[in-house]
Amino acid sequence: MDLLVTESENRKRIRKVENFFGPSGTPLSVPGRVLIGEGRLVKQGRKKRALKVFFLFNDILVYGSIIMNGRWYKKQKLVALADIKVEDLEDSDSVKHQWLLCTPFKSFYLSASSYEEKRGWLDHIRDCQSRLLKETDAQPGSNFAMSWIPDKAAQKCMRCLKKFTTIHRKHHCRKCGFVVCNECSKQRELIENIDSTREVRICKVCSTRDDEDNDNEDNDNSRQRGDSSGMQSCEEEEGATSGDEDQMQTSSTWLDTKDCTWMGLSPFLYSEAQD
């Protein structure tokens, strides 16, 4: 009876998430899928920070923009948990409780309202991913998009050092994430994990690098990760800030698989319930 109640409640919650995104969203109800947790996090975009809603399932991570708080979301994005990497980051003077979420097609910074909130998301994502890989005998992803340096962090092209103006505009290299001008990023290249259907913009330096391993090493040496500037690798997702960031002060909720109930923030709840 408890199992039937749990399955029924899980189906209701997943249908509710589907309704949040409306007909434009991808159907989420599939056999074996369980909604583990949900909450709101601040995502750093190319130009600004915006509040986003996140839903963690046992096999995927779903997020989107908030149009009406608790009623309507859009721009739904789905990422397979097997293809995710999370990196914990130290606090900076300007941003607290932040971490980096890496996926094959984009990588960006997220921040929570508290340290406990951040630990809850990191622990649940890692735990769900570990269990998924063990159950499916799959291999974790290893090819991730480079995170973008935000527009506001560069006043000059990071290749030719010419100052940006209304005419001399900012662009991003999809390979290194640098902010560059059009003259320094006229080259295009097919990077399948980012876009398998069309070539994307890369800078003149990346276009001359033949050895991919040397390319990765050069990027690591020339650029420090983990500062307060968030990045993303998709211009099309940029839009208006979805509400006041203060809305995020409510805690995320997580499934207690031991008691088959939902409750407030508990960073180790899911792990303890499965022991």
Side-chain angles (χ1 to χ4, degrees):
M1 179 62 71
D2 289 342
L3 180 60
L4 290 175
V5 171
T6 303
E7 291 179 347
S8 176
E9 177 66 20
N10 180 61
R11 286 195 300 269
K12 289 180 181 178
R13 284 187 168 269
I14 293 180
R15 284 197 297 269
K16 187 175 181 180
V17 176
E18 291 176 327
N19 292 335
F20 280 147
F21 287 100
S24 63
T26 301
L28 301 172
S29 299
V30 300
R33 178 167 290 165
V34 179
L35 180 59
I36 300 298
E38 58 187 70
R40 291 170 290 181
L41 302 167
V42 173
K43 177 178 176 291
Q44 175 66 60
R46 173 187 172 185
K47 296 182 179 180
K48 54 194 169 186
R49 291 157 55 84
L51 192 65
K52 304 287 182 179
V53 62
F54 283 77
F55 300 93
L56 177 63
F57 295 82
N58 61 331
D59 61 337
I60 59 173
L61 179 69
V62 177
Y63 65 95
S65 300
I66 301 173
I67 304 304
M68 294 182 64
N69 187 27
R71 295 184 180 182
W72 182 23
Y73 308 138
K74 71 172 185 176
K75 294 185 178 179
Q76 183 192 65
K77 305 292 182 182
L78 280 72
V79 189
L81 277 188
D83 296 330
I84 283 178
K85 180 176 70 173
V86 291
E87 296 182 11
D88 195 1
L89 304 174
E90 295 182 359
D91 288 347
S92 69
D93 292 336
S94 58
V95 182
K96 307 293 184 182
H97 321 307
Q98 185 177 225
W99 74 95
L100 179 64
L101 177 68
C102 301
T103 80
F105 54 91
K106 69 176 64 176
S107 299
F108 50 86
Y109 284 129
L110 294 169
S111 55
S113 59
S114 66
Y115 174 78
E116 291 76 18
E117 186 89 355
K118 179 180 82 167
R119 290 307 325 169
W121 278 97
L122 291 176
D123 292 343
H124 282 84
I125 289 174
R126 287 168 174 164
D127 186 68
C128 287
Q129 184 183 58
S130 175
R131 294 175 188 278
L132 175 67
L133 294 175
K134 182 181 293 186
E135 292 170 0
T136 61
D137 199 27
Q139 295 298 315
S142 59
N143 197 15
F144 302 104
M146 179 60 70
S147 52
W148 284 12
I149 293 178
D151 285 0
K152 64 181 180 180
Q155 302 305 314
K156 298 179 180 180
C157 173
M158 301 179 75
R159 293 307 183 194
C160 70
L161 303 182
K162 290 183 180 179
K163 188 175 181 179
F164 291 118
T165 66
T166 54
I167 299 176
H168 196 65
R169 301 181 65 181
K170 299 178 180 180
H171 300 276
H172 279 83
C173 172
R174 272 57 168 179
K175 211 164 195 180
C176 66
F178 279 16
V179 185
V180 292
C181 66
N182 185 60
E183 289 297 316
C184 291
S185 58
K186 289 186 175 182
Q187 296 80 3
R188 299 293 186 271
E189 183 176 312
L190 186 67
I191 305 178
E192 291 193 357
N193 58 292
I194 295 178
D195 193 327
S196 61
T197 62
R198 64 184 179 93
E199 294 183 338
V200 295
R201 182 188 298 268
I202 63 170
C203 70
K204 60 183 181 181
V205 174
C206 287
S207 69
T208 63
R209 292 171 177 162
D210 298 324
D211 190 333
E212 186 176 348
D213 291 335
N214 288 338
D215 176 27
N216 293 333
E217 182 178 350
D218 290 342
N219 281 326
D220 289 338
N221 291 335
S222 64
R223 190 176 147 206
Q224 298 255 338
R225 264 183 159 180
D227 59 9
S228 63
S229 56
M231 299 111 188
Q232 73 176 43
S233 57
C234 182
E235 288 179 292
E236 290 75 10
E237 190 183 340
E238 288 297 328
T241 302
S242 52
D244 193 329
E245 291 179 14
D246 289 340
Q247 293 181 64
M248 65 174 285
Q249 296 306 316
T250 57
S251 295
S252 301
T253 53
W254 303 104
L255 173 65
D256 182 347
T257 54
K258 182 182 295 183
D259 297 328
C260 304
T261 58
W262 280 74
M263 57 191 302
L265 180 68
S266 178
F268 306 104
L269 184 61
Y270 183 71
S271 297
E272 291 174 351
Q274 296 295 327
D275 289 341

